[in-house]
Amino acid sequence: MSRPTRTETQLLESRALTIGMVGNLFMAMAGIVAAYLSNSQAVLMDGLFSFIGFTAAFLGKRVTRNAQRKADKYRPFGYASDEAIFKTFRSLSLLGLVIFAMTSAILNIVGYLNGEPQRQLIFAPMLVYFALVGMTCLILWSFHRRAWIKSGKQSDVLQLEQKAAAFDALITGSAAVGLLGIHAFRDWVLAPIAPIGDSIIVLLLCLSVTLQYYRDFIAGLGELAGVTASPQHIASARRAIRESLRTDGGLLVDLSISKLGRYFTVMVYYDPQRQISAAQIDDLTRQLQADIAKLFEHSEVFVVVSQHGRVLSPG
């Protein structure tokens, strides 16, 4: 299958994010209504996750348009950082919600241990909610995954939305199993914790997703800080340009790659080992750009003539 053009990728992203907005808004409203009818904090938390998903999809549409714009006088390094900023703050907002929900659950558990009465859960609205939302999550995950694959697996926004839909499905399914299990065994082995079962489910769900959201936050923060790309990306780039450099006759001194959103910046530190003109360097850069484009559709290659690499030794 041929790699889609940038316009085709942008259309895929826009359509997928629109569907995501509609789906997440539906799940958020369903969660708020079901939480009100059932007195469940776990259902409310699930609905709030969906509301953040709706907000993220709304902002993501603008981000995907901006991320592909070229450098201009206002953004001399381009707009690729918008995607990394989006990824970072989306993960940060989810972490904030998780911390809030955990704090609320812990306070409810402490209150129960201190003798405070707990609200009675009503399970009928939960059954309808879990069935509708679970199916919606799976549909969204499937839709985002197909869009991500069609885009050549290049869109961080679509990949993030795919993962978010999968986690939302996992959270909803886990909440359903936990709450319905507590309801089924509330007069038997789970009787001691049944009054605070809702809070315990919230706490366990938050603990299960905290690590993933933290990793996404650190990954986005690393891109903004200019952290090097993965060793796999660097090794692939070295192999891609090896033949062109061998043909030119020079020596690859150093190679650095940084990732910002979907864009890769490749710095080739090169010793031509002969006199060379600016025009020849430009020609070599174009050739290396073509080599790297086979790996990373969105990339920029810079050739730096140097004997020392990224760290210039004292003269």
Side-chain angles (χ1 to χ4, degrees):
M1 184 176 64
S2 61
R3 178 178 290 178
T5 65
R6 293 190 182 187
T7 301
E8 290 172 337
T9 298
Q10 190 171 358
L11 288 174
L12 283 170
E13 290 174 333
S14 179
R15 184 174 60 184
L17 289 170
T18 299
I19 296 296
M21 286 173 56
V22 174
N24 277 288
L25 183 59
F26 165 74
M27 292 190 294
M29 298 304 297
I32 293 172
V33 172
Y36 174 77
L37 295 176
S38 63
N39 296 325
S40 172
Q41 284 188 331
V43 171
L44 179 60
M45 184 195 74
D46 199 34
L48 291 177
F49 272 119
S50 297
F51 183 74
I52 289 179
F54 163 75
T55 305
F58 177 77
L59 296 175
K61 292 190 69 174
R62 181 177 179 85
V63 168
T64 55
R65 289 195 299 267
N66 274 356
Q68 300 187 55
R69 293 171 60 186
K70 295 293 185 180
D72 54 32
K73 64 179 181 179
Y74 301 106
R75 301 282 290 273
F77 296 103
Y79 291 77
S81 60
D82 286 5
E83 201 165 25
I85 292 171
F86 169 79
K87 180 178 180 179
T88 302
F89 282 94
R90 187 186 193 284
S91 302
L92 185 61
S93 64
L94 289 168
L95 280 174
L97 176 59
V98 164
I99 293 172
F100 170 78
M102 289 177 64
T103 303
S104 178
I106 291 171
L107 290 176
N108 282 340
I109 293 172
V110 171
Y112 171 74
L113 295 176
N114 290 332
E116 294 179 8
Q118 300 294 307
R119 292 186 298 178
Q120 185 71 27
L121 295 179
I122 303 172
F123 286 87
M126 293 185 193
L127 293 174
V128 178
Y129 170 79
F130 288 135
L132 288 176
V133 171
M135 185 179 300
T136 303
C137 287
L138 292 176
I139 292 173
L140 286 178
W141 173 82
S142 176
F143 192 90
H144 287 315
R145 179 166 180 79
R146 286 202 303 270
W148 179 62
I149 292 173
K150 287 181 180 179
S151 72
K153 300 183 180 180
Q154 295 293 317
S155 171
D156 278 3
V157 170
L158 285 178
Q159 186 181 31
L160 192 62
E161 290 306 306
Q162 175 197 169
K163 289 169 62 177
F167 268 106
D168 209 353
L170 178 62
I171 290 171
T172 300
S174 300
V177 171
L179 289 172
L180 296 178
I182 288 173
H183 176 65
F185 297 102
R186 66 188 184 280
D187 296 324
W188 189 34
V189 292
L190 298 181
I193 64 169
I196 53 170
D198 189 55
S199 296
I200 293 174
I201 294 298
V202 169
L203 197 58
L204 292 176
L205 290 177
C206 288
L207 289 173
S208 68
V209 300
T210 297
L211 182 59
Q212 181 60 49
Y213 293 148
Y214 176 75
R215 285 174 176 170
D216 288 340
F217 171 68
I218 293 299
L221 203 61
E223 290 185 10
L224 292 173
V227 173
T228 185
S230 69
Q232 292 85 353
H233 285 142
I234 295 174
S236 297
R238 282 183 176 274
R239 288 193 296 269
I241 65 176
R242 184 180 299 158
E243 185 59 33
S244 294
L245 294 182
R246 182 183 294 116
T247 300
D248 188 75
L251 176 66
L252 176 63
V253 177
D254 198 359
L255 176 71
S256 67
I257 304 177
S258 60
K259 181 177 181 295
L260 191 59
R262 73 191 67 188
Y263 281 85
F264 291 84
T265 299
V266 182
M267 303 293 295
V268 179
Y269 299 89
Y270 182 63
D271 181 0
Q273 298 187 322
R274 69 184 190 280
Q275 289 186 345
I276 192 169
S277 67
Q280 289 174 307
I281 289 294
D282 288 342
D283 289 339
L284 178 60
T285 301
R286 293 188 190 96
Q287 179 58 50
L288 298 182
Q289 180 77 59
D291 294 337
I292 292 295
K294 297 174 183 177
L295 294 174
F296 316 126
E297 178 184 2
H298 305 279
S299 60
E300 194 73 29
V301 176
F302 298 91
V303 176
V304 180
V305 176
S306 173
Q307 292 181 326
H308 301 284
R310 72 191 76 181
V311 180
L312 187 64
S313 64

